[in-house]
């Protein structure tokens, strides 16, 4: 059996069923966030590649 996972819009971590939070913007976008921490960074429009624990930072700095 395969577990269907989604990807967090900010941190790019896997979100398992029953977790996460969908936020609806005025322009119709539906970003999916892993938890409150990633939601607050995403809503403040902080760039993910400047935060060291995100996948985007690790990709940008060639750590993966």
């Amino acid at each position: 059996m395969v577990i269907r996972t989604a990807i967090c819009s900010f941190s790019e971590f896997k979100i398992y069923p029953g977790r996460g939070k969908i936020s609806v913007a005025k322009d119709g976008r539906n970003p999916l966030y892993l938890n409150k921490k990633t939601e607050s960074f995403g809503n403040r429009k902080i760039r993910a590649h400047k935060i060291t624990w995100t996948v985007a930072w690790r990709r940008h700095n060639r750590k993966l």
Side-chain angles (χ1 to χ4, degrees):
M1 184 168 116
V2 177
I3 297 175
R4 186 175 181 138
T5 60
I7 301 295
C8 177
S9 298
F10 181 77
S11 65
E12 300 179 23
F13 290 145
K14 288 182 181 177
I15 301 174
Y16 289 95
R19 305 285 182 205
K21 189 173 184 181
I22 295 176
S23 177
V24 180
K26 287 183 179 180
D27 60 357
R29 290 181 295 121
N30 296 328
L32 178 64
Y33 296 114
L34 177 65
N35 53 22
K36 183 67 177 175
K37 180 167 89 170
T38 58
E39 183 184 7
S40 67
F41 278 122
N43 289 339
R44 288 188 285 157
K45 297 184 176 153
I46 305 294
R47 295 185 179 231
H49 71 268
K50 293 190 175 189
I51 309 293
T52 56
W53 51 266
T54 61
V55 175
W57 182 88
R58 295 186 63 79
R59 191 180 307 116
H60 182 73
N61 290 288
R62 299 179 186 191
K63 303 292 183 185
L64 282 177

